[in-house]
Amino acid sequence: MPIQPSVLVRFVGILTTILLWALCNNVCAQDADSVLVIGAINLTGNEKTKDYIILRELDFKSGDTVSASKLAAMKLKGIRQIFDLELFNTVEMQIAPPDSAGLTHITIYLKERWYLFVIPIVEIADRNFNQWWLAENKLSRLNYGVRIRRSNLRGRNETIRINIQGGYTRKFSVDYNFPYINKALTIGAALNFTYSDNRELGFATQNNKLQFFHDTGKISFSRLKTGVSFSLRKKIYSSQLLDLEYTRLQIADTVTKAAVNPDYFLNAQTRQQTFYAGYRYIYEMLDYKHYPLNGKYLSAEAGNYFFINAPQNFFNAFITASYHKKLSYRHYASVSVDAKYSTPGRQPYNLFRALGYEYFVRGFEYYVIDGQHFALGKINYLYNILTPKFIHIPTGGIKKFRNIPITIFAKAFYDAGYVVNNTPLPTNTFTNSYLGGLGAGIDIVTYYDRVLKIEYTFNNKGQKGLFFHYNMLF
């Protein structure tokens, strides 16, 4: 049965009531706290990581005077911030009782991760597993190669990534991230270079699905991209970023024919060169960056594509906000909102993206919905089936891989989305239309921030199905 918009309203009302009840029950009278003076902050287990990289993530320092309850809260935040550096498998903090001089000493126990990965690439080239599974010639739609990642270079949390890839998408890329380039540890930078090409191109959307063009023996699409990003992080939980990027795209001239899509770059052009300048603000206070259970997140971005040798500009803005709350033991809930605004009304097809790629309504994995603007809301309820456990495996002398952490959650969810398209094609019926998805699933979370999601979803178009998503963050 198709899902009615009123179902979403009732679901939001119920979840809001639960969240307010949980928040109210957490408010209690506080007794007078004892006052503590922080003494030495000792680090143990950071064999490679510089001390200042770790201490940068703490809300306190030696010599600070804080109340006992405030220090307890700072302890939890500090553990979370250090863990989110993605340098350590475990982070523990011990606060000792005041010594004879009245100083409270703190010890942080760390177990470093493995920092060098040479990972074979065997991955699907489609937008998600279900779309790949339905495609013909599945093996031809795989990417293969090698991905090299070296984290924590020089013990300063610097990261280099190199991808060398063949198959459906031939690709070479290099990224280098410097979290701090000044003594005050407030300014960072990142450099990137990518070249890729494909013999097949998603050239248009018809019947709400991506259409592919393939010209045997020829490269249909090539991309060269290089850029730099500067970050400013004066406070622990917020940062600002300036992104500067040059991109050169080229398509086969056969793509620009009227029977294919002359508006892929607009006006039957075969090449698109752009310079992008964008600003991002990020506020992040989450317990775990890649699978948050508690906390808040806000990202706001605005940027402009300046087209080289073409009389056009393209502006877009994104906002993402989420709130995650532990309701009680094993029970969690979250609400998130994503939105995009772009202008002008007539846009190149390659930039005319809304839902179906990075952002999507669950239950619509097979579809893409194009438009100038979109809004997307998601509500999740989680139940922790398996609390964090460690699976011991024999690894010889490599200690960092002996214990694999694993956590499993059951979940129920509701998604609602809407795409605004000022120039829709008659066959693309999902534009300018309410999209809803309701379902349940299982999330399996393991080390190095990998998440496998298995979801069964009903959408408001009367469709249902089992969907798989896998995040591999290397």
Side-chain angles (χ1 to χ4, degrees):
M1 172 184 279
I3 298 170
Q4 300 300 320
S6 60
V7 174
L8 176 61
V9 175
R10 291 196 294 271
F11 192 84
V12 172
I14 293 170
L15 181 60
T16 303
T17 302
I18 294 173
L19 290 175
L20 290 175
W21 174 84
L23 287 171
C24 290
N25 277 276
N26 284 334
V27 177
C28 59
Q30 295 184 356
D31 297 328
D33 283 332
S34 57
V35 176
L36 304 174
V37 179
I38 298 175
I41 302 175
N42 303 304
L43 304 177
T44 179
N46 55 317
E47 300 170 5
K48 297 181 180 180
T49 310
K50 303 293 185 184
D51 288 1
Y52 66 82
I53 294 294
I54 301 163
L55 298 175
R56 170 70 171 82
E57 302 303 315
L58 301 177
D59 274 336
F60 54 84
K61 62 183 183 297
S62 295
D64 283 356
T65 300
V66 298
S67 66
S69 63
K70 187 174 182 180
L71 183 58
M74 288 178 169
K75 171 185 174 180
L76 295 177
K77 291 180 180 179
I79 291 173
R80 176 183 64 206
Q81 289 296 120
I82 295 171
F83 188 81
D84 277 346
L85 288 172
E86 301 179 24
L87 300 177
F88 306 101
N89 279 328
T90 61
V91 180
E92 298 177 3
M93 191 180 301
Q94 184 181 75
I95 301 175
D99 63 10
S100 58
L103 298 178
T104 298
H105 301 293
I106 297 172
T107 304
I108 301 175
Y109 299 92
L110 306 160
K111 289 186 179 179
E112 291 190 324
R113 294 185 174 189
W114 187 262
Y115 295 133
L116 175 62
F117 288 91
V118 181
I119 305 295
I121 299 173
V122 181
E123 61 185 20
I124 61 175
D126 289 284
R127 295 174 293 108
N128 55 65
F129 176 84
N130 290 72
Q131 188 64 48
W132 174 80
W133 187 254
L134 291 182
E136 298 180 359
N137 300 318
K138 295 181 180 60
L139 294 180
S140 69
R141 305 184 71 80
L142 292 175
N143 296 321
Y144 52 83
V146 64
R147 179 179 290 116
I148 304 168
R149 169 175 166 165
R150 177 63 168 89
S151 301
N152 207 18
L153 284 163
R154 303 189 294 171
R156 301 179 184 183
N157 199 20
E158 298 173 3
T159 302
I160 184 170
R161 296 180 180 88
I162 301 174
N163 278 25
I164 304 172
Q165 170 181 302
Y168 183 84
T169 299
R170 298 192 303 179
K171 179 180 179 181
F172 173 77
S173 67
V174 180
D175 300 270
Y176 202 112
N177 179 53
F178 307 82
Y180 306 115
I181 58 175
N182 64 332
K183 291 184 178 179
L185 305 181
T186 56
I187 299 175
L191 307 172
N192 67 77
F193 171 86
T194 300
Y195 173 82
S196 64
D197 60 43
N198 293 81
R199 297 186 184 278
E200 188 172 71
L201 173 67
F203 71 91
T205 304
Q206 296 176 10
N207 299 313
N208 308 302
K209 291 189 176 183
L210 194 60
Q211 307 299 306
F212 291 95
F213 172 83
H214 182 87
D215 195 349
T216 304
K218 294 184 179 179
I219 299 298
S220 297
F221 176 81
S222 66
R223 176 179 69 170
L224 185 149
K225 181 178 72 172
T226 185
V228 60
S229 177
F230 297 99
S231 61
L232 177 64
R233 185 176 177 234
K234 291 185 176 181
K235 299 180 180 180
I236 292 179
Y237 305 112
S238 62
S239 57
Q240 301 176 69
L241 296 96
L242 174 65
D243 299 316
L244 304 172
E245 191 173 86
Y246 166 79
T247 303
R248 187 194 69 195
L249 307 177
Q250 188 161 347
I251 56 176
D253 54 6
T254 46
V255 176
T256 64
K257 294 180 179 179
V260 186
N261 189 357
D263 287 333
Y264 189 87
F265 290 150
L266 290 183
N267 305 319
Q269 298 179 72
T270 60
R271 177 177 292 189
Q272 182 187 86
Q273 296 185 81
T274 60
F275 174 76
Y276 176 80
Y279 167 83
R280 284 182 285 162
Y281 171 81
I282 297 175
Y283 176 83
E284 185 176 47
M285 186 182 282
L286 300 171
D287 52 356
Y288 301 106
K289 181 185 299 185
H290 299 299
Y291 197 88
L293 298 172
N294 261 306
K296 306 171 224 178
Y297 178 84
L298 172 67
S299 173
E301 176 181 357
N304 200 87
Y305 288 87
F306 300 92
F307 289 78
I308 301 172
N309 301 324
Q312 60 200 44
N313 286 306
F314 174 75
F315 171 83
N316 64 16
F318 291 89
I319 187 167
T320 295
S322 63
Y323 178 70
H324 309 263
K325 178 66 178 177
K326 181 176 182 178
L327 303 177
S328 62
Y329 179 63
R330 293 180 183 261
H331 298 268
Y332 303 86
S334 68
V335 180
S336 67
V337 175
D338 301 282
K340 172 192 174 182
Y341 169 84
S342 67
T343 188
R346 185 169 181 253
Q347 300 174 7
Y349 176 78
N350 67 304
L351 296 175
F352 195 53
R353 292 183 172 184
L355 299 180
Y357 297 91
E358 180 180 355
Y359 306 93
F360 60 92
V361 175
R362 283 172 286 191
F364 288 86
E365 280 87 340
Y366 296 123
Y367 305 103
V368 295
I369 303 98
D370 306 322
Q372 289 86 3
H373 327 298
F374 76 79
L376 173 64
K378 298 191 175 189
I379 302 172
N380 294 279
Y381 162 77
L382 300 172
Y383 177 76
N384 190 192
I385 297 174
L386 178 67
T387 56
K389 304 291 183 184
F390 284 89
I391 301 174
H392 181 77
I393 58 174
T395 58
I398 306 177
K399 297 180 180 180
K400 293 179 173 64
F401 286 98
R402 286 182 180 173
N403 296 306
I404 301 176
I406 186 169
T407 309
I408 301 177
F409 295 87
K411 65 181 178 183
F413 55 85
Y414 194 98
D415 294 358
Y418 194 94
V419 175
V420 176
N421 187 335
N422 298 325
T423 56
L425 294 177
T427 62
N428 292 331
T429 55
F430 291 169
T431 59
N432 305 312
S433 171
Y434 163 75
L435 306 174
L438 173 69
I442 297 288
D443 289 353
I444 302 172
V445 185
T446 185
Y447 70 164
Y448 295 115
D449 316 309
R450 294 188 235 181
V451 183
L452 171 64
K453 301 181 179 182
I454 305 170
E455 300 168 343
Y456 197 89
T457 311
F458 302 83
N459 69 30
N460 70 318
K461 306 301 181 182
Q463 301 169 340
K464 58 187 177 181
L466 183 66
F467 300 94
F468 298 86
H469 299 280
Y470 180 54
N471 299 334
M472 184 172 179
L473 300 171
F474 282 105

